[in-house]
């Protein structure tokens, strides 16, 4: 039997989670008020509230000590994150303008909404709220708000990565050291959320908890935490039990939070923000759920790797997850504005699912075409060099 690598499992995880992100945003497009999605109960969001924290975990888990210097790591991360951020900002803006303006009943009003969306994104949504520049007072296009707003993850990961590279080699050498640093970071995040704000400019409130997750992952990588294979039957039983217990804790937190406190998305950090009811205490839920959720979804994906056809398809799509993340708001805007003419009840409750299916279909066609062209160029280059 062919042995599957950890990267295959990670790609499958990315495929599953990025699809969940697309679904979450599709719900916002068809909701009468996108804020309703954040306050409404959804069983999928109870089962998978750890969406973005898994990506922070992998960023730390995939670090290789000694492979590059701190400066080289920061330079590499700059090329990986900041350049795509700028390119996506420009391209997304142009495409949203191209989608929205032709269908606008009043071009001047639409231009104003798009311009306000750009300004809000440049100052970050939290800061725009603080200075009263937000949807309640200024008309803002949701399309541009989403397309540019998702970029928070890129600059959050970039800033966290800089601190990560400065700390990681020192932190992972001792258990007492990594525990002390993680506790310190979580307390910083707690104080920010509890006493300063749950949604601060450029999502700074989530940086300490994201950094703590990255450092924990780097420490656990030394023990091959995610990819250990049980050697005995008893080991397999314990392994399965651990997964079930971990997911049970996650679902339990979600259900308890909703039915006892009336709160949704506890520990999920939507857009990097903490829960408005729990405030700083949401930090500890986010950290626990992010850790447990990564373990659960990774183990499930390892099982999927045992089914070659399915795993190969999901692995391929997962390798394109970064592009899905950056491009899916454009696809959703096109589908909602051009195809459905902004009508939100064409196919009833199935509409967000149809949006997801159509978004994936569009992106798959684009990825297949790009992959084919890249392979064609490489083959021609190889022939010329030969």
């Amino acid at each position: 039997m062919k042995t599957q690598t950890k990267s295959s499992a990670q790609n499958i995880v990315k495929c599953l989670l990025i699809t969940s992100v697309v679904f979450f945003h599709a719900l916002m497009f068809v909701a009468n008020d996108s804020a309703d999605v954040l306050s409404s109960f959804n069983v999928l969001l109870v089962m998978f509230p750890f969406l973005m924290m898994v990506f922070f975990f992998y960023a730390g888990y995939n670090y290789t000590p000694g492979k590059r210097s701190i400066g080289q790591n920061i330079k590499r991360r700059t090329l990986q994150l900041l350049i795509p951020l700028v390119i996506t900002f420009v391209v997304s803006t142009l495409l949203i303008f191209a989608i929205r303006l032709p269908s606008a009943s009043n071009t001047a009003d639409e231009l104003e909404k798009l311009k306000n969306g750009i300004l809000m994104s440049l100052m970050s949504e939290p800061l725009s709220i603080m200075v009263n520049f937000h949807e309640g007072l200024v008309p803002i296009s949701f399309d541009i708000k989403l397309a540019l707003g998702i970029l928070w993850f890129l600059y959050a990961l970039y800033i966290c990565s800089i601190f990560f590279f400065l700390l990681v080699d020192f932190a992972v050498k001792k258990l007492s050291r990594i525990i002390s640093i993680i506790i310190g970071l979580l307390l910083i995040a707690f104080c920010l959320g509890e006493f300063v704000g749950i949604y601060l400019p450029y999502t700074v409130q989530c940086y300490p908890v994201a950094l703590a997750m990255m450092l924990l992952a780097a420490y656990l990588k030394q023990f091959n935490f995610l990819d250990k294979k049980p050697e005995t039957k008893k080991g397999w039983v314990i392994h399965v039990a651990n997964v079930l217990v971990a997911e049970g804790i996650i679902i339990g937190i979600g259900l308890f939070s909703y039915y006892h406190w009336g709160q949704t998305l506890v520990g999920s950090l939507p857009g990097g923000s903490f829960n408005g009811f729990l405030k700083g205490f949401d930090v500890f839920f986010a950290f626990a759920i992010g850790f447990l959720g990564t373990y659960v979804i990774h183990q499930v994906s390892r099982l999927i790797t045992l089914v070659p056809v399915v795993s190969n398809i999901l692995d391929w799509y997962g390798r394109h997850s970064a592009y899905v993340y950056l491009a899916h708001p454009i696809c959703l805007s096109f589908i909602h504005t051009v195809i459905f003419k902004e009508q939100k009840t064409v196919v009833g409750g199935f509409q967000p699912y149809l949006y997801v299916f159509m978004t994936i279909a569009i992106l798959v066609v684009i990825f297949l075409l790009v992959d084919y062209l890249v392979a064609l160029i490489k083959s021609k280059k190889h022939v010329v060099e030969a």
Side-chain angles (χ1 to χ4, degrees), residues 17-139:
L17 294 187
I18 203 63
T19 302
S20 299
V21 170
V22 176
F23 173 71
F24 184 73
H25 291 152
L27 283 176
M28 290 185 167
F29 265 93
V30 299
N32 291 325
D33 183 351
S34 60
D36 290 345
V37 178
L38 298 175
S39 59
S40 300
F41 179 81
N42 187 298
V43 67
L44 289 177
L45 299 180
V46 170
M47 295 179 67
F48 301 103
F50 44 80
L51 294 178
M52 301 314 297
M53 289 305 289
V54 174
F55 291 98
F56 284 112
F57 189 100
Y58 279 153
Y61 195 79
N62 292 331
Y63 173 74
T64 303
K67 187 174 182 180
R68 301 179 184 86
S69 66
I70 293 175
Q72 289 173 329
N73 278 319
I74 292 176
K75 180 181 178 181
R76 184 167 179 265
R77 191 65 91 198
T78 301
L79 296 175
Q80 287 177 330
L81 298 177
L82 291 193
I83 292 178
L85 187 153
V86 174
I87 293 174
T88 303
F89 192 99
V90 174
V91 173
S92 294
T93 299
L94 294 175
L95 290 176
I96 292 295
F97 269 63
I99 292 170
R100 294 295 306 174
L101 288 179
S103 61
S105 57
N106 187 311
T107 302
D109 286 348
E110 191 65 34
L111 280 172
E112 182 71 11
K113 292 179 181 179
L114 292 168
K115 181 199 73 176
N116 291 336
I118 294 171
L119 292 175
M120 185 196 73
S121 299
L122 288 172
M123 71 175 75
S124 82
E125 181 176 302
L127 181 58
S128 73
I129 293 173
M130 288 181 177
V131 299
N132 290 327
F133 185 92
H134 57 92
E135 282 185 296
L137 299 176
V138 179

Side-chain angles (χ1 to χ4, degrees), residues 156-224:
L157 179 58
Y158 177 72
I159 294 171
C160 290
S161 294
I162 292 176
F163 287 99
F164 172 80
F165 294 135
L166 293 172
L167 288 171
V168 62
D169 291 335
F170 169 80
V172 299
K173 288 181 179 179
K174 293 183 179 180
L175 177 60
S176 59
R177 198 176 286 175
I178 193 72
I179 291 176
S180 299
I181 292 174
I182 288 175
I183 291 175
L185 289 168
L186 294 182
L187 288 176
I188 292 172
F190 168 79
C191 290
L192 286 174
E194 191 70 16
F195 306 113
V196 183
I198 63 169
Y199 199 34
L200 301 176
Y202 302 100
T203 66
V204 297
Q205 72 285 335
C206 75
Y207 296 174
V209 65
L211 176 57
M213 185 63 67
M214 292 169 68
L215 290 171
L216 174 64
Y219 178 79
L220 293 176
K221 173 65 176 295
Q222 300 175 110
F223 310 101
N224 196 30

Side-chain angles (χ1 to χ4, degrees), residues 206-252:
C206 75
Y207 296 174
V209 65
L211 176 57
M213 185 63 67
M214 292 169 68
L215 290 171
L216 174 64
Y219 178 79
L220 293 176
K221 173 65 176 295
Q222 300 175 110
F223 310 101
N224 196 30
F225 171 73
L226 290 179
D227 298 289
K228 277 185 179 179
K229 185 177 181 180
E231 300 294 335
T232 63
K233 184 177 180 180
K234 180 180 178 181
W236 275 107
V237 172
I238 295 174
H239 183 69
V240 172
N242 287 339
V243 173
L244 294 176
V245 169
E247 180 60 24
I249 292 173
I250 293 170
I251 295 174

